[in-house]
Amino acid sequence: MKKKTFWGGIHPEYHKQVSSETSIQLLPAPEQLVIPLQQHVGSSAKPMVKKGDTVLAGQRIGEAQGFVSAHVHAPVSGTVVAIEARPHSHGKMVQSIILDNDGEETWTDLESHADPIQLSRDQIKQAVTAAGIVGMGGAGFPTHVKLSPPADAEIDYFILNGSECEPFLTADHRMMVEFAADVALGTRLLAKAIGAKRVIIGIETNKMDAIQSLRKHAGNIDIVPLAVKYPQGGEKQLIKALTGREVPSNGLPYECGVVVQNVGTALAAAHAVRDGLPLTHRVITVTGECVQRPGNFLVPIGTSFQQMIEAAGGTKGTVGKVISGGPMMGTAQITTDVPVIKETSGILVLSQEQCAPTHPLACIKCSRCGDVCPAYLLPMRIERAAILGRWDEAEDYGAMDCIECGCCSYICPSKRYLLHYIRLAKNQIMSAKQTRSS
Amino acid sequence: MEQQQLILASSPHVRDTDSTQKIMLTVVVALLPVWGASIYFFGLDAVRLVLWAAAAAVVAEAIFQRLRGKPSSTHDGSALVTGMLLGLSVPPTLPSWMVVLGAIVAIGLGKQVFGGLGHNPFNPALVGRAFLTTSFAVPMTTWARPFDGISGATPLALGSGVVPYSDLFFGSIAGSLGETSVLAILLAGIFMFYRGVLDFRMPLGFLATTIGLMFVLGHDPLFHIMSGSIMFAAVFMVTCMVTTPVTRRGRVIYGIGVGIIVTVIRLWGNLPEGVTFAILLMNAATPLINRWTRPRIFGQGVTLDA
Ligand code: SF4
Ligand code: SF4
């Protein structure tokens, strides 16, 4: 059978085998946790506690502000010692609740449901909202927003994104293998909440064990093997591969009748709806050439990157970059003193050699960037327009349709910083739009 | 670890191992069997002319870069490729100083005046060749037979049916140094394709168009593509990345365009050989082709009730 896929993309070295066989390990909570009030796309949550308050594990400590926002909960019981700006993996300082762990693990009362699938669509949505669940694949978009398309939108497909196409990362893979039943339950719950007619889990074939374990719990869920190619897990690429539909330019997936969610999100939804558990822990991969013992860990949110790296045996060699997420789309960190948040899918430590800056040569118009661009753009054109400051031309060449997958920069034989300049163009185009409309 | 300076840079954080230098090196390696064949057929003249052309191109590149106040660029290998291509596309009897001059023009006027690597609208080797053809018309069309060096006419001048196909294929005919052996050129092409530095669309569009037109117009297509510069150009010139369209459809159109112009020049033009000018003309049309053939962007023009 021909495996489903999309047009374009690349085949980077995956490095997944270094952690794909290691079972998820539960890490004890650290003595102090840093819980940012902003762990999602949208407006920041408002603190519901103040310095000196004692809190229980699972207690809501940050209240969502507005619709596109998410609640924040305490992963452990203890005392609030400060509410202040702390470094954040997005590269800025963010108001965070600093929590001293009392080591008691005293939980608040949780509302569980023996038969969660019998709950109504609204009840599921409410439980997901209450648990503060956001997209856990790296984008951090509040899940309840994705579950609330306009009333007239018809959702034909609910897709669970099991492709995990980023090199190095194996957290989703391990979740699908070890928690297959819960992942399948979460998928059903989310699909029910959106009222989808068909439910698909797409998984790249480098995770055959995940395909097999999920098939045991599949029921009416379609488990579809996907070709191994980056960015197979890009939302638009996944939809195209599985349904043949294209999300309209500037549009959202529901506009073509599809909603996509991530594996971690489904697992969190199962825990939230069935057990009443808020999103306070997540599975992340700690890996990379400079990590002693790469592995997958279940950790409380608020654990620092430094503690995670130490849990993986510490570093070896000369560290070049510490990245939140994968090597293609992750964010390089200036310090390891940032906390794991809801959207942290992995911590990647690359060596100095791997990160040596490249010296770009002139574009030789080989067109490889265009041949890999999954958005069908001509990246070299947008880059040139951006270098010359021609923002209109960059927009005309489709800069705003770039999904920032990085394939163009990856493949360029002249080692040009294509995506860097395309991002610059996108920012300029956006701010020009804002000034025009204000 | 806190003390250590972490590198901050935007994604992606990993890069492919291929590079522009490697691409150029691949072309150089691909040219070796072609050069080898030309040494076999034309002896020391093939060594002399290719070495002079390559050396002159590299030195010219170094000097022009310095004059423009730019860092040295000879290590990218592009000047070496240009020099070798030029050397292999002249007749074996050409005086060395002419090929040196041609190489200087190729690098100077063909490439450096536009800003060096990647900025030239025309294929530099062909600019050099066109300069030589127009400046030194006689030496550039004085051909020698292989092995004995006695002057003789090219198969193209003799017309189809005179020289057996096998001679055309193996290359034991009069012609430019590197252009006679279809076999060596095909090997080079397969190697380049396999290494991912040759987009099949351009040579295929070019050859298919030429074969089709020649056939329809009642000429021997096989004879035509195997004689003169067509095969050499199809593999090494039509595939030049810098001077050809960046869109996939554009590359097909480009190949077809070269095929049409070559056929017209060969059948009705005054020149014996139309490949050089056909490619230069299509180089000039490249920006237009790029503009006309912009690909549809993902998600644009889709109907919502799919
Ligand atoms: S232009 Fe954007 S979408 Fe296209 S390859 Fe580059 S980063 Fe990916
Ligand atoms: S991959 Fe690099 S060299 Fe090739 S066309 Fe794109 S920008 Fe130019």
Side-chain angles (χ1 to χ4, degrees), chain A residues 127-143:
Chain A
V128 166
T129 316
I133 298 178
V134 305
M136 289 165 73
F141 201 73
T143 300

Side-chain angles (χ1 to χ4, degrees), chain A residues 246 248-249 319-321 327-328 330 336 362 365 367-368 371 375-376 396 401 409-410 413-416 423, chain B residues 2 4 7 11 13-16 18-20 117-118 196 241 246 248 251 290 294 296 298-300 302 304:
Chain A
E246 272 183 32
S249 168
V319 174
K321 273 184 194 169
M328 293 304 296
T336 51
K365 311 205 174 73
S367 203
R368 287 186 186 175
D371 288 342
Y376 312 164
D396 187 45
D401 286 290
S409 296
Y410 173 87
S414 282
K415 312 291 165 198
R416 299 187 65 76
R423 276 201 195 100
Chain B
E2 290 308 331
Q4 213 169 304
I7 302 170
S11 64
H13 306 285
V14 285
R15 300 282 194 132
D16 190 27
D18 206 0
S19 67
T20 296
L117 175 71
M241 293 168 174
V246 291
R248 285 170 294 281
R251 291 181 166 197
N290 274 334
R294 269 165 58 175
R296 179 186 72 89
F298 187 101
Q300 288 194 356
V302 289
L304 291 190

Side-chain angles (χ1 to χ4, degrees), chain A residues 118-275:
Chain A
Q118 297 308 325
L119 295 177
S120 74
R121 286 175 64 172
D122 280 338
Q123 283 172 308
I124 298 173
K125 233 189 276 184
Q126 268 161 21
V128 166
T129 316
I133 298 178
V134 305
M136 289 165 73
F141 201 73
T143 300
H144 62 268
V145 180
K146 264 192 168 181
L147 294 181
S148 315
D152 59 344
E154 241 183 74
I155 304 301
D156 300 318
Y157 294 94
F158 176 86
I159 297 177
L160 190 76
N161 186 352
S163 40
E164 199 171 51
C165 59
E166 270 271 8
F168 284 103
L169 302 186
T170 55
D172 289 358
H173 180 178
R174 293 310 307 176
M175 282 186 251
M176 290 188 284
V177 171
E178 295 179 45
F179 306 131
D182 285 0
V183 169
L185 171 65
T187 306
R188 281 200 187 87
L189 291 170
L190 292 171
K192 179 167 186 189
I194 196 81
K197 297 184 192 125
R198 288 191 57 194
V199 189
I200 306 178
I201 303 183
I203 305 175
E204 281 190 358
T205 49
N206 56 359
K207 296 178 264 292
M208 288 314 289
D209 48 349
I211 295 179
Q212 275 150 15
S213 28
L214 273 169
R215 283 217 162 118
K216 290 188 200 122
H217 305 276
N220 60 344
I221 303 174
D222 225 351
I223 313 281
V224 181
L226 296 164
V228 180
K229 188 164 71 165
Y230 177 87
Q232 184 66 72
E235 198 166 59
K236 295 177 177 182
Q237 284 60 45
L238 187 69
I239 293 171
K240 177 86 180 183
L242 289 174
T243 70
R245 298 183 183 184
E246 272 183 32
V247 179
S249 168
N250 282 322
L252 291 169
Y254 77 77
E255 291 173 44
C256 67
V258 186
V259 165
V260 180
Q261 295 284 0
N262 156 275
V263 173
T265 310
L267 191 58
H271 293 158
V273 181
R274 185 188 55 202
D275 311 321

Side-chain angles (χ1 to χ4, degrees), chain A residues 369 372-375 377 379 401-409 419 422:
Chain A
C369 51
V372 299
C373 177
L377 304 174
D401 286 290
C402 166
I403 60 163
E404 307 196 14
C405 65
C407 290
C408 49
S409 296
L419 177 53
I422 295 170

Side-chain angles (χ1 to χ4, degrees), chain A residues 29-52:
Chain A
E31 279 165 23
Q32 194 174 70
L33 291 85
V34 178
I35 320 285
L37 288 159
Q38 175 106 52
Q39 306 185 31
H40 49 261
V41 173
S43 39
S44 164
K46 196 176 87 188
M48 300 166 72
V49 289
K50 53 185 191 310
K51 189 177 164 182

